């Protein structure tokens, strides 16, 4: 079928007359009839019913009339672009987007683009629905697009992250909730909500997050649907409703102090903003990184736009700024200095994963997929602040639920997550060995205890997959004594009784320190019932002091009545905490292990970049924020003694030194059985960092 034949057909179909079509085409009627007969012969079917001098379309003819103009338009557009390429460049650029970016984010980018490339005619094409944006990209209606939904499921579209946007609760500036600094969706079920219709990008993002967390809109007392931003604005201002929006929306209302954006626990991280290109243009992304190799002059307008977009942009008209996107390699820390963690140097800029637009088109199919339940039991220590990113924060922000796999063999999987909170590591080790706990967060000494089976084959094997926090100077474990005590050094402990949580990091420190000072046989270590400082006050007549791991010694000092022994006596071996998992979990569900580590990295990024993090953590566990900040490093804090630094890299040299020193002590010889090559599996962390 030739395009010219199709043009002739469309004219005849338009007029339903060979004579009028011939006049319009400036041809003879026999020539028009010949073209139609030739086309019908190629298609092997009739396109018209001939009723004397009158003609009517057949079913095939009607279909060709509906679809034919698309081919004609495509041919015209290709011809035009070829001519522009022959002249050396495209002369126009069409950018597609959804309404939120069209109102605030994109105009600043287009303004700068026009200032730098005034010879290119730019056009912003706005769409209300993601499927409209998809059709525009694939049909060639637009050259490039900006989206807050992922289109990675479509082979004909390439995407790259160019910025991060933040989703939040939006309320009237006079709403009582604005007095709070941090909110959770679970606390807002009795409030009235107004939302855009299903299918809007921000509604897709909100609904997907609620599905991850097992929250249903039916549990909310009142939910209204509004078809336009103006109607949502009215609900917010006049009815004290709540809504959900990105920081790209309602900018004028925020600037005029009519509406406020409130942080939500469930959206503690940002979400990506994507630049979308037809695959046929995707090569220009690579050439943007290597201008000297750029030979695609015909694609200059697209390449230049991509380059500006990848540099990033601050919304609200604050001008352009370079977008920080850390590399995905594991950061190596080979010195004993504290890591410099901040938003510009952090090895990962962690975001929530954006919902895929394509995934929505398979909702009906996935609904029929058989469901299975996978239970994950995680042993954590919420009051051990240095491990907060591996448990407490992950749990409060719902990070593990977000990163758990839900596609492929995990389609239809329902996750049941059980967070078991303990005051020390010993019961976590026991739970790992008895297969009651799948993932455990432990300090250095119990971490090593989890690696050995002590010749009991029924004990489950574990694997070390990541560190959580560390202190290269050995801080984090201390001996405290009552203020009135005459004890001032480890030497003074001779003949004394010290209470310690057995099989804890503090226990390991005490054994090493006493062994080094040749006091191990002269100091009696007894088990402590609880790490609660209030109980410690009641037991001072039974023991001479207490060995604690952070932050419990700091809590006791803070509440008064206790002081540390001379810190110069403390063991200086680097201290660390890590994550161990059941060997079976790594073999049967490796993707779940990677998901947990993604959630850990996300929690660490949130804690080290959010100024409110220590305050929120202190609120969640009812502990003074100053102790939280001192225990786990936060940006801008001086490096004081006793703090831990968020750290995921596994330090084999530290582990080996712990094993070497401990195996010299009676009762710890079995630690020499640990096969580090088998036990340490850093590849899961590498995979997590590479896929964030």
């Amino acid at each position: 079928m030739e395009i010219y034949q199709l043009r002739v057909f469309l004219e005849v179909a338009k007029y339903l007359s060979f004579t009028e079509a011939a006049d319009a085409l400036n041809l003879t009627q026999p020539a028009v009839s010949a073209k139609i007969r030739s086309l019908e012969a190629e298609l092997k079917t009739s396109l018209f019913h001939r009723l004397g001098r009158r003609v009517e379309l057949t079913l095939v003819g009607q279909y060709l009339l509906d679809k034919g103009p698309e081919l004609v338009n495509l041919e015209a557009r290709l011809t035009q672009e070829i001519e522009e390429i022959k002249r050396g460049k495209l002369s126009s650029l069409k950018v597609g987007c959804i309404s939120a970016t069209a109102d605030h984010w994109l105009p600043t980018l287009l303004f700068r683009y026009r200032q730098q490339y005034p010879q290119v005619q730019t056009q912003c094409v706005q769409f209300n629905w993601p499927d409209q944006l998809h059709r525009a990209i694939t049909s060639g209606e637009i050259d490039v697009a900006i989206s807050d939904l992922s289109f990675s499921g479509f082979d004909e579209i390439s995407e790259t992250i160019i910025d991060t946007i933040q989703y939040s609760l939006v309320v009237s500036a006079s709403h009582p909730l604005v007095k709070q600094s941090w909110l959770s969706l679970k606390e807002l079920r009795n409030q009235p909500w107004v939302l855009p219709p299903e299918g809007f990008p921000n509604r897709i993002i909100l609904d997907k997050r609620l599905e991850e967390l097992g929250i249903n809109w039916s549990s909310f007392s009142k939910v209204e649907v509004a078809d336009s931003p103006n109607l949502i604005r009215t609900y917010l201002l006049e009815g004290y409703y709540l809504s959900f929006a990105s920081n790209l929306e309602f900018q004028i209302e925020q600037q005029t102090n009519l509406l406020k954006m409130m942080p939500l626990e469930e959206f503690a991280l940002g979400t990506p903003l994507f630049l979308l290109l037809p695959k046929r243009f995707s090569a220009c992304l690579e050439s943007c990184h290597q201008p000297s190799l750029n030979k695609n002059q015909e694609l200059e307008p697209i390449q230049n736009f991509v380059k500006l977009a990848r540099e990033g942009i601050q919304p609200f008209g604050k001008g352009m700024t370079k977008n920080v996107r850390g590399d995905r390699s594991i950061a190596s820390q080979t010195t004993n200095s504290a890591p410099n963690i901040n938003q510009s140097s952090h090895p990962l800029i962690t975001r929530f994963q954006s919902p895929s637009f394509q995934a929505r088109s398979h909702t009906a199919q996935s609904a029929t997929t058989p469901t299975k339940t996978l239970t994950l039991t995680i042993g954590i220590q919420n009051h051990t602040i240095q491990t907060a990113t591996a448990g407490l924060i992950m749990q409060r922000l719902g990070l593990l639920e977000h990163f758990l796999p839900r596609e492929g063999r995990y389609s239809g999987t329902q996750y049941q997550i059980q967070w078991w909170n303990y005051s020390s590591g010993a019961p976590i080790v026991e739970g790992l060995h008895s297969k009651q706990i799948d993932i455990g967060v432990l300090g250095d000494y119990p971490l090593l205890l989890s690696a050995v089976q002590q010749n009991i084959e029924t004990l489950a094997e574990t694997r070390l997959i990541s560190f959580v926090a560390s202190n290269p100077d050995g801080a984090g474990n201390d001996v405290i004594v009552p203020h009135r005590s005459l004890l001032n050094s480890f030497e003074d402990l001779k003949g004394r009784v010290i209470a310690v949580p057995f099989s804890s990091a503090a226990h390991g420190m005490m054994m090493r320190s006493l062994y080094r000072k040749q006091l191990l046989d002269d100091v009696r270590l007894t088990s402590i019932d609880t790490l609660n400082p209030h109980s410690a006050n009641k037991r001072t007549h039974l023991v001479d002091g207490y060995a604690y791991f952070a932050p419990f010694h700091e809590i006791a000092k803070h509440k008064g009545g206790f002081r540390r022994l001379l810190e110069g006596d403390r063991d200086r071996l680097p201290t660390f905490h890590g994550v161990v998992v059941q060997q079976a979990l790594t073999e049967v569900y490796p993707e779940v292990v990677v998901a947990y580590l993604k959630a850990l990295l996300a929690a660490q990024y949130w804690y080290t970049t959010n100024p409110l993090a220590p305050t929120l953590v202190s609120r969640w566990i009812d502990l003074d924020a100053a102790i939280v900040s001192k225990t786990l490093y936060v940006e801008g804090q001086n490096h004081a003694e006793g703090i831990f630094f968020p750290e995921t890299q596994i330090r084999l040299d530290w582990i080996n030194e712990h094993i070497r020193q401990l195996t010299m002590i009676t009762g710890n010889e079995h630690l020499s059985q640990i096969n580090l090559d088998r036990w340490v599996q850093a590849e899961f962390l590498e995979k997590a960092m590479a896929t964030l």
Side-chain angles (χ1 to χ4, degrees):
M1 182 174 63
E2 300 176 357
I3 290 295
Y4 188 68
Q5 290 175 320
L6 183 58
R7 288 181 181 275
V8 172
F9 163 78
L10 292 174
E11 288 296 322
V12 177
K14 175 182 177 181
Y15 294 106
L16 292 177
S17 168
F18 283 80
T19 302
E20 293 184 39
D23 291 340
L25 294 168
N26 197 25
L27 296 173
T28 64
Q29 183 174 334
V32 171
S33 298
K35 289 292 183 184
I36 296 300
R37 284 196 301 270
S38 175
L39 180 58
E40 290 176 327
E42 288 187 29
L43 297 177
K44 298 179 181 180
T45 186
S46 297
L47 299 174
F48 297 97
H49 294 300
R50 293 165 175 82
L51 307 172
R53 301 183 64 178
R54 186 168 59 87
V55 295
E56 292 181 355
L57 288 167
T58 65
L59 288 177
V60 175
Q62 183 62 51
Y63 177 80
L64 192 58
L65 175 62
D66 294 338
K67 299 298 183 180
E70 295 180 13
L71 292 176
V72 173
N73 293 337
L74 176 60
E75 187 264 350
R77 187 167 64 252
L78 289 175
T79 301
Q80 178 185 358
E81 291 179 358
I82 289 171
E83 288 300 318
E84 292 172 337
I85 291 173
K86 287 161 61 178
R87 292 197 302 269
K89 62 176 68 177
L90 293 173
S91 59
S92 64
L93 178 70
K94 293 182 180 179
V95 183
C97 64
I98 302 296
S99 57
T101 53
D103 291 340
H104 300 287
W105 190 93
L106 188 55
T108 304
L109 182 60
L110 286 176
F111 174 78
R112 185 178 182 190
Y113 182 86
R114 287 177 175 177
Q115 294 297 303
Q116 294 191 26
Y117 309 104
Q119 74 279 9
V120 179
Q121 295 182 354
T122 58
Q123 181 181 355
C124 179
V125 185
Q126 183 173 334
F127 301 92
N128 292 324
W129 302 92
D131 55 343
Q132 296 173 336
L133 186 65
H134 171 253
R135 285 195 298 268
I137 300 172
T138 54
S139 68
E141 179 184 345
I142 57 176
D143 303 308
V144 63
I146 306 296
S147 171
D148 47 0
L149 294 179
S150 172
F151 282 71
S152 60
F154 296 96
D155 292 337
E156 66 271 29
I157 297 176
S158 67
E159 67 179 32
T160 185
I161 296 174
I162 55 173
D163 211 337
T164 299
I165 56 179
Q166 186 71 47
Y167 282 93
S168 308
L169 184 75
V170 56
V171 298
S172 166
S174 58
H175 198 289
L177 288 176
V178 300
K179 298 177 182 179
Q180 301 187 38
S181 58
W182 195 263
L183 296 164
S184 170
L185 289 171
K186 296 183 287 291
E187 303 167 351
L188 303 173
R189 298 187 187 192
N190 293 326
Q191 298 281 344
W193 284 76
V194 57
L195 299 170
E198 294 182 6
F200 269 56
N202 56 357
R203 180 67 184 273
I204 293 174
I205 289 171
L206 177 58
D207 287 349
K208 177 180 181 294
R209 190 72 175 111
L210 291 178
E211 181 183 358
E212 291 172 354
L213 299 169
I215 302 175
N216 196 291
W217 281 116
S218 61
S219 65
F220 286 71
S221 60
K222 186 175 184 180
V223 179
E224 301 271 0
V225 176
D227 294 330
S228 70
N230 287 334
L231 186 54
I232 291 177
R233 183 187 303 109
T234 301
Y235 272 88
L236 293 171
L237 294 176
E238 297 188 13
Y240 270 17
Y241 278 68
L242 312 183
S243 193
F244 177 79
S246 76
N247 57 342
L248 305 182
E249 303 173 71
F250 300 115
Q251 283 307 301
I252 294 177
E253 291 81 1
Q254 291 184 66
Q255 293 169 6
T256 55
N257 201 34
L258 292 175
L259 298 178
K260 293 287 187 182
M261 308 296 284
M262 305 290 296
L264 286 169
E265 279 186 12
E266 294 80 2
F267 290 88
L269 303 177
T271 59
L273 188 66
F274 297 99
L275 181 136
L276 309 178
L277 281 172
K279 275 286 175 68
R280 64 183 184 275
F281 291 158
S282 60
C284 74
L285 285 174
E286 298 302 322
S287 60
C288 284
H289 292 297
Q290 305 178 47
S292 61
L293 300 180
N294 178 17
K295 301 180 186 292
N296 298 321
Q297 293 183 355
E298 69 275 10
L299 297 179
E300 275 189 15
I302 295 177
Q303 289 175 316
N304 291 332
F305 181 85
V306 169
K307 182 179 178 181
L308 285 180
R310 289 179 70 106
E311 289 177 354
I313 183 170
Q314 287 182 345
F316 329 144
K318 294 182 180 178
M320 308 291 291
T321 182
K322 186 172 183 180
N323 185 38
V324 179
R325 291 182 303 273
D327 65 56
R328 292 177 171 178
S329 61
I330 296 181
S332 176
Q333 183 184 332
T334 58
T335 67
N336 284 343
S337 60
N340 179 21
I341 302 175
N342 54 55
Q343 191 156 352
S344 60
S345 65
H346 197 275
L348 289 167
I349 298 300
T350 309
R351 308 174 180 89
F352 281 125
Q353 298 169 334
S354 180
S356 171
F357 166 63
Q358 188 184 36
R360 297 186 61 252
S361 64
H362 298 294
T363 302
Q365 178 180 352
S366 62
T368 61
T369 303
T371 60
K372 58 182 179 181
T373 300
L374 179 57
T375 301
L376 290 174
T377 302
I378 307 172
I380 57 177
Q381 302 178 61
N382 281 348
H383 281 81
T384 307
I385 302 301
Q386 55 270 33
T387 67
T389 57
L392 175 66
I393 293 173
M394 197 185 301
Q395 180 184 7
R396 290 291 307 206
L397 303 186
L399 296 176
L400 181 54
E401 290 88 342
H402 175 73
F403 289 105
L404 283 170
R406 302 179 188 275
E407 298 179 355
R409 73 185 183 105
Y410 294 96
S411 295
T413 298
Q414 299 293 323
Y415 293 99
Q416 183 178 356
I417 304 174
Q418 299 176 340
W419 301 92
W420 290 1
N421 182 33
Y422 298 94
S423 58
S424 66
I428 298 178
V429 174
E430 182 180 347
L432 287 164
H433 282 162
S434 63
K435 303 180 184 179
Q436 299 299 307
I437 293 177
D438 301 297
I439 301 173
V441 184
L442 297 164
D444 41 49
Y445 183 50
L447 200 71
L448 297 178
L449 294 177
S450 75
V452 294
Q453 294 180 286
Q454 295 183 273
N455 299 320
I456 303 177
E457 294 182 358
T458 58
L459 298 184
E461 286 193 54
T462 65
R463 296 291 180 261
L464 175 64
I465 59 172
S466 176
F467 272 11
V468 172
S470 65
N471 186 294
D473 298 323
N477 302 295
D478 279 290
V479 177
I480 61 171
V481 295
H483 274 302
R484 66 178 181 275
S485 173
L486 300 178
L487 304 178
N488 291 299
S489 67
F490 265 64
E491 285 77 8
D492 295 338
L493 298 181
K494 187 174 182 179
R496 303 288 185 165
V497 179
I498 300 297
V500 60
F502 280 154
S503 299
S504 68
H507 186 197
M509 179 275 295
M510 282 298 294
M511 287 190 294
R512 295 191 313 267
S513 298
L514 293 174
Y515 179 83
R516 178 168 53 88
K517 294 180 177 293
Q518 299 181 348
L519 293 171
L520 193 57
D521 295 331
D522 299 315
V523 178
R524 185 162 71 89
L525 300 181
T526 186
S527 177
I528 190 170
D529 295 331
T530 174
L531 298 179
N532 189 315
H534 295 295
S535 295
N537 283 327
K538 299 175 183 179
R539 291 172 53 93
T540 53
H541 65 287
L542 300 177
V543 297
D544 299 289
Y546 301 85
Y548 279 105
F549 50 84
F552 297 104
H553 53 70
E554 197 65 38
I555 295 173
K557 283 179 51 187
H558 186 74
K559 290 182 177 293
F562 288 89
R563 58 177 173 81
R564 286 175 174 167
L565 289 186
L566 293 177
E567 295 180 356
D569 289 332
R570 189 184 58 219
D571 185 299
R572 292 288 176 175
L573 188 62
T575 52
F576 54 87
H577 290 70
V579 180
V580 292
V581 301
Q582 293 275 356
Q583 174 198 359
L585 189 66
T586 66
E587 294 177 347
V588 181
Y589 300 111
E591 297 86 357
V592 171
V593 176
V594 171
Y596 175 87
L597 291 174
K598 286 183 179 180
L600 169 62
L601 292 166
Q604 292 199 341
Y605 174 74
W606 175 83
Y607 184 84
T608 57
T609 58
N610 190 322
L612 278 176
T615 301
L616 293 170
V617 170
S618 70
R619 184 186 306 169
W620 294 335
I621 58 175
D622 191 22
L623 185 63
D624 191 278
I627 294 178
V628 174
S629 298
K630 186 173 184 180
T631 304
L632 188 60
Y633 172 86
V634 289
E635 176 65 18
Q637 179 186 355
N638 294 328
H639 297 172
E641 280 292 316
I643 65 173
F644 282 82
F645 311 108
E647 173 63 84
T648 54
Q649 182 194 8
I650 299 173
R651 293 294 302 266
L652 289 175
D653 52 341
W654 293 358
I655 296 173
N656 269 313
E657 185 59 22
H658 272 259
I659 293 174
R660 187 190 70 81
Q661 293 192 24
L662 286 166
T663 51
M664 298 177 185
I665 302 171
T666 302
N668 291 280
E669 299 86 353
H670 58 288
L671 295 179
S672 62
Q673 302 172 11
I674 299 175
N675 183 342
L676 291 184
D677 290 337
R678 177 178 173 84
W679 184 54
V680 177
Q681 294 193 345
E683 61 269 22
F684 290 101
L685 181 60
E686 295 173 3
K687 178 70 171 178
M689 299 184 82
T691 54
L692 268 176

